[in-house]
C-alpha cells in the first residue's frame, strides 16, 4: 500500500468489485496500482490492451508503481488482449474504466461494445483528459451511465479525481462513484459542467500562461519561475487553496476584506497579464531548451517519493 | 529556530550585522522573527514604529512568530518610536529594512531621512508589495542603493524572497543581498524588471482569475476549487514548478514533446479562459460569503504548522 494512502485512511479489503481497466498506458498502470491497494484478490482486476506483449509489458512496468511487498501480486492480475477475453471479463465486471487512446471514434465505439456485454448495474468511467462523456456516449443505448473520471497524474499518488458527468448522467452513478473513491481516501470533486480541460488543468494552464509571458518579457527565467513557485504558492496551496489562503490573508475580515483592500492591486495585475499563444514567436523552443539544459531527464521516482512525503506531511500535521 | 530552517541548513550566529526594521505590522514582526534566528544577540535588532504602545505590542505579538525557547529574547530587542532613537539606530545599522505603510509619499520621504543617517555601505531594502524601488528612491541622493525585498507571507516561514532592483540599483547591493539570504536558507530570486505585482503574486492572481471565472460559470464552488488545488497542483508545485513538472510530463522528450503534444489542448483552455474583473456583477460578495460560511475564521497557527511540515517534508525526502 502506498504510504500516503496508508497514513490517510485505514486499509480495507474490497471483496466485492471486479474492475476491468481498458488501456495499459501510464495512466492505466497507475490506476491498476491504485485498485490493487484495495482489492482483496488481484484476480478481481483485469487489464485489457491489444498490445501483443501485454504480459511482459505489465510484469516489467507495473511493479514500478507498487510497494515491493506487492510485486508478487502482478502475476495474478487477469490480462486480456482479445475481444473474447474482454467479453468474458466484462460479463463479471462491476466497474469498467477506460483510458485508451484520446480519440473520439475509439471511445464512442468501445462504449458501444462494452455496453453489449456488461451488467446494467456496472459503473462506467472514462479517464480521458478532454473528450467529454456526452460525446463518448453518443452511440450508447443508455447514455446516462457514463461519466468521466479525470485523475491528476500520477493517479496512484495524487488524491484528486475530477468526476465530470454529462448533463444526462444518472445521479446514482455519480453518488456511487463518489462513495467508491472517498472510501479509498481519494478526493473526488464533481465538475458541474463539461468544460474544456475540466478544472485542475485550466487553473494550472492559467498560471502557465502568465509564467510563459513573464519569461518572454525577460522578467524571470523558466527555472526561476519554478523556484518561485516551489518556495511560495506550491507549499501554501498544498495546505490551503487560493480562496482559503486569501480568506486567511484577510484576517478577521476574511475574503471580503481581502477583495476590498487588495482587489485594485489584483486588478492591475489582471490588466497587465500576457495573452501569449502557441505559435507566437519561438518561445516554445526557447523555454523547452532552457528546461532541457536546467533539468535534463527528470527522475519521476524522486518526484513521486517527495510528493508522497508532502501529502503525508499535510495529514500528519493535523492537530 | 523554526523547524523548517533548522532542517534546511546548519545554524550559525551572525555577530556582524545590525538590522533596523521600520514598521512593525505583521510583515515587520515576521521579519523580526526571521532575523532573530541568526543574530548573535537580539540587541543587534532594532524595531522602529511610531505607535506609542510599541513595547507592549511587540511583547504581546512577536512571541507568536517564535519558538518558545526564544521568547525571552524579545525583551532584549531594541525598540525605537522617535526620530532621535531612529537616528541613533541608523548610525550603527548595516541593514535597514522598511515595511511601513504602502504609501508612495511615506516611502519616498523615509528613504531621504534614512540616507542622511546611515552608513554608505549599509544595505537598504523595502518589503513593499508594489511600490517599485525606482519610485521610492526618486528623492534619494544615491538612487542606486535601494532594492525591493518582497516576501511571500509569512516571511519567517516561506522561503521565497523576490529581489526587485530598480534599473539603476548597483549590482554589488544585489549580490550582497543574495548572499545574505542564501546563507540563511532562503530562496532569493532576482526579478529583472520592475513589473506590476512582481512575479509570485502575478502567477497566483492568474490562477485566481480563472478560479473566479469557473465559480462564476457554476462549474465548481470556491471550496471545490480549494479542494482541487490542495489535492493536485499544490503538492506537485511544492516539489517542482510548472515548467519542471511539464518537462517531466514529456518523458524523454521533455518540455518540447509536451508543448508539441499537449499544446493544442492548452491553447484551447487559454482561448476559453475567463476575463472576469473586479466590479463585474456580484461575484466578490458571493465568493466572500461562500468562504466565510465554509471556513469561518482561519487558524493561521495551524496553517503555519502544516506549511512548515510540508517544507520539511520536501527537504527530508531528498535522497
Amino acid at each position: 500500500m502506498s504510504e500516503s494512502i496508508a497514513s490517510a485512511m485505514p486499509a480495507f479489503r474490497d471483496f466485492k468489485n471486479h474492475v476491468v481497466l481498458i488501456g495499459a498506458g501510464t495512466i492505466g498502470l497507475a490506476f491498476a496500482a491504485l485498485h490493487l491497494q484495495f482489492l482483496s484478490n488481484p484476480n478481481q482486476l483485469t487489464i485489457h490492451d491489444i498490445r501483443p506483449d501485454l504480459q511482459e509489458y505489465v510484469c516489467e512496468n507495473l511493479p514500478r508503481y507498487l510497494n515491493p511487498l506487492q510485486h508478487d501480486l502482478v502475476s495474478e492480475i487477469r490480462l486480456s488482449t482479445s475481444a473474447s477475453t474482454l467479453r468474458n471479463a466484462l460479463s463479471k465486471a462491476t466497474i469498467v474504466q477506460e483510458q485508451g487512446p484520446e480519440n473520439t471514434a475509439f471511445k464512442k465505439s468501445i462504449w458501444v461494445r462494452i455496453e453489449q456485454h456488461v451488467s446494467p448495474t456496472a459503473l462506467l468511467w472514462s479517464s480521458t483528459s478532454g473528450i467529454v462523456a456526452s460525446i463518448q456516449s453518443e452511440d450508447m443505448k443508455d447514455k446516462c451511465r457514463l461519466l468521466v473520471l479525470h485523475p491528476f497524474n500520477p493517479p496512484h499518488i495524487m488524491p484528486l479525481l475530477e468526476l465530470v458527468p454529462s448533463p444526462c448522467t444518472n445521479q446514482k452513478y455519480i453518488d456511487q462513484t463518489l462513495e467508491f473513491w472517498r472510501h479509498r481516501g481519494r478526493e473526488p470533486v464533481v465538475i458541474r459542467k463539461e468544460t474544456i480541460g475540466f478544472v485542475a488543468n485550466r487553473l494550472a494552464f492559467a498560471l502557465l500562461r502568465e509564467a510563459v509571458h513573464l519569461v518572454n518579457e525577460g522578467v524571470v527565467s523558466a527555472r526561476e519561475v519554478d523556484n518561485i513557485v516551489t518556495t511560495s504558492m506550491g507549499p501554501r496551496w498544498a495546505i490551503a487553496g487560493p480562496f482559503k489562503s486569501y480568506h486567511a490573508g484577510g484576517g478577521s475580515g476574511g475574503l471580503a476584506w481581502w477583495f476590498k483592500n487588495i482587489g485594485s492591486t489584483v486588478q492591475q495585475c489582471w490588466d497587465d497579464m500576457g495573452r501569449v499563444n502557441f505559435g507566437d514567436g519561438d518561445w516554445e523552443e526557447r523555454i523547452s531548451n532552457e528546461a532541457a539544459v536546467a533539468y535534463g531527464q527528470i527522475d519521476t521516482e524522486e518526484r513521486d517519493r517527495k510528493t508522497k512525503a508532502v501529502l503525508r506531511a499535510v495529514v500528519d500535521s493535523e492537530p
Side-chain angles (χ1 to χ4, degrees), chain A:
Chain A
M1 177 174 297
S2 90
E3 293 159 343
S4 64
I5 306 273
S7 63
M9 56 165 307
F12 77 100
R13 298 283 92 187
D14 176 349
F15 291 92
K16 189 189 108 195
N17 284 295
H18 286 262
V19 179
V20 177
L21 293 178
I22 295 178
T26 49
I27 297 291
L29 292 184
F31 266 117
L34 180 54
H35 283 293
L36 281 178
Q37 319 292 343
F38 302 102
L39 292 171
S40 170
N41 190 311
N43 70 16
Q44 291 167 264
L45 177 66
T46 300
I47 301 177
H48 174 81
D49 196 295
I50 55 167
R51 57 185 303 157
D53 64 342
L54 183 62
Q55 183 157 16
E56 298 99 294
Y57 170 80
V58 169
C59 288
E60 187 179 328
N61 291 290
L62 183 55
R64 291 192 289 115
Y65 298 81
L66 295 170
N67 181 309
L69 293 172
Q70 295 187 303
H71 286 184
D72 58 355
L73 303 181
V74 172
S75 61
E76 297 177 56
I77 297 168
R78 292 177 192 269
L79 300 179
S80 157
T81 53
S82 73
S84 68
T85 52
L86 176 59
R87 219 162 34 231
N88 188 38
L90 289 173
S91 70
K92 287 178 293 190
T94 58
I95 290 167
V96 181
Q97 185 173 351
E98 176 276 329
Q99 49 275 315
E102 285 292 279
N103 172 311
T104 303
F106 166 81
K107 290 194 192 288
K108 284 173 69 171
S109 75
I110 195 90
W111 288 119
V112 171
R113 284 176 58 199
I114 290 165
E115 197 180 21
Q116 286 169 7
H117 302 291
V118 81
S119 149
T121 60
L123 294 170
L124 307 184
W125 302 330
S126 170
S127 294
T128 178
S129 59
I131 305 172
V132 294
S134 58
I135 290 178
Q136 292 195 37
S137 65
E138 268 173 2
D139 296 337
M140 291 175 76
K141 280 192 193 124
D142 182 358
K143 299 177 194 355
C144 304
R145 297 187 65 179
L146 188 64
L147 58 86
V148 163
L149 180 82
H150 180 236
F152 198 85
N153 197 37
H156 66 304
I157 293 174
M158 302 309 290
L160 177 65
L161 291 166
E162 294 182 287
L163 264 56
V164 197
S166 81
C168 90
T169 304
N170 193 312
Q171 186 65 41
K172 80 177 170 198
Y173 299 122
I174 301 171
D175 293 340
Q176 288 170 13
T177 304
L178 283 171
E179 195 201 336
F180 181 91
W181 288 111
R182 284 186 182 142
H183 196 46
R184 284 153 182 78
R186 300 283 122 178
E187 181 71 29
V189 176
V190 178
I191 310 302
R192 297 172 201 180
K193 289 184 180 172
E194 291 186 318
T195 312
I196 295 166
F198 311 133
V199 172
N201 279 341
R202 284 178 79 109
L203 296 174
F205 294 164
L207 184 142
L208 176 68
R209 188 180 216 177
E210 184 60 9
V212 169
H213 169 67
L214 292 169
V215 173
N216 282 349
E217 294 293 307
V219 176
V220 272
S221 70
R223 186 170 201 159
E224 286 163 347
V225 164
D226 287 339
N227 289 346
I228 286 170
V229 169
T230 53
T231 54
S232 60
M233 69 207 79
R236 166 58 37 79
W237 288 346
I239 302 296
F243 292 115
K244 189 174 183 182
S245 294
Y246 295 134
H247 183 64
S252 59
L255 193 56
W257 183 96
W258 192 87
F259 280 150
K260 187 158 172 283
N261 285 272
I262 315 292
S264 69
T265 304
V266 178
Q267 184 68 52
Q268 278 181 60
C269 291
W270 286 355
D271 293 341
D272 197 52
M273 267 174 14
R275 298 269 287 170
V276 66
N277 292 297
F278 281 82
D280 290 352
D282 63 350
W283 64 265
E284 296 156 65
E285 195 185 338
R286 278 188 294 101
I287 293 178
S288 301
N289 288 344
E290 191 195 328
V293 170
Y295 301 125
Q297 173 93 35
I298 303 261
D299 175 2
T300 53
E301 270 185 53
E302 183 190 348
R303 177 198 71 184
D304 291 349
R305 189 183 63 246
K306 289 185 172 189
T307 306
K308 282 194 242 179
V310 165
L311 291 167
R312 205 164 44 233
V314 175
V315 175
D316 290 351
S317 61
E318 297 283 351

